[in-house]
Amino acid sequence: MNNNAVMNALDAMDGSLASAYIILEDGRRYNFMQLYSFEASAKINSKEVPILGKTGKGNKPLGWTGEWKGTAHYNQSVLRQMWLEYKNTGKLPVFDIQVTNEDPSSSAGRQTTILKNCLSKGGILTKFNADSETLDEDIEGTFDDWEMPESFSLLKGMQ
């Protein structure tokens, strides 16, 4: 008999129940409900370190890089207005992205992550497709800090 704890299927997070907001430097906050796919990642940068007396090398972490990407319905101009400001002034607006995952059927609870000092890498200025039922767009960018004011709870059996 297997005595290992197993996850309850209800604890899997429903991805469609997330929320996402963009917060501009001037305090304007937009519900970015157009997003239907989003992820952000932190890549740990490391360097190989030679070590006397060992045949292999060690690794030393030397900072990190943050990137985000997503797919959204093509029905907002918030990002395009930022790109226009950059074109006209040379200043690309910095913003924060706040994402909350919460599924009331999961005992994992709620997690909120705020990506700080985000920059957009640019994107589609305009588009159409007479043969498409809906239009979407890929968006991507970077961030240089992040906070996690709310964390998921440990699931039963994890400890």
Side-chain angles (χ1 to χ4, degrees):
M1 179 174 191
N2 186 349
N3 291 328
N4 290 332
V6 296
M7 187 184 90
N8 181 335
L10 293 176
D11 289 333
M13 297 301 291
D14 183 342
S16 67
L17 296 179
S19 63
Y21 292 88
I22 287 182
I23 303 103
L24 303 184
E25 291 175 295
D26 64 8
R28 285 182 289 163
R29 186 172 194 242
Y30 297 100
N31 182 347
F32 224 55
M33 61 191 176
Q34 293 84 355
L35 284 172
Y36 62 86
S37 174
F38 184 83
E39 67 180 42
S41 59
K43 177 184 173 197
I44 306 297
N45 304 316
S46 63
K47 176 158 178 52
E48 286 187 347
V49 179
I51 301 172
L52 188 61
K54 286 183 72 175
T55 57
K57 294 184 179 183
N59 289 284
K60 180 173 179 67
L62 296 169
W64 62 277
T65 304
E67 294 187 346
W68 58 268
K69 64 182 178 179
T71 304
H73 295 288
Y74 176 77
N75 62 2
Q76 59 81 28
S77 295
V78 173
L79 294 176
R80 276 173 278 287
Q81 288 170 340
M82 289 181 195
W83 307 332
L84 182 62
E85 181 178 338
Y86 178 67
K87 178 191 78 79
N88 291 337
T89 68
K91 180 186 182 295
L92 184 60
V94 175
F95 55 96
D96 295 344
I97 299 174
Q98 176 182 320
V99 175
T100 299
N101 296 98
E102 182 177 28
D103 178 347
S105 69
S106 173
S107 64
R110 174 182 172 114
Q111 176 177 283
T112 297
T113 305
I114 304 168
L115 310 178
K116 310 293 282 182
N117 306 318
C118 296
L119 290 173
S120 170
K121 289 185 176 180
I124 295 170
L125 295 179
T126 189
K127 73 184 293 183
F128 69 86
N129 182 343
D131 195 34
S132 180
E133 292 181 8
T134 62
L135 297 176
D136 63 12
E137 61 183 318
D138 292 326
I139 58 174
E140 63 180 331
T142 62
F143 62 95
D144 66 19
D145 198 3
W146 60 285
E147 300 170 358
M148 200 167 67
E150 296 177 302
S151 300
F152 288 129
S153 301
L154 293 177
L155 298 176
K156 183 178 177 181
M158 286 181 70
Q159 293 182 323

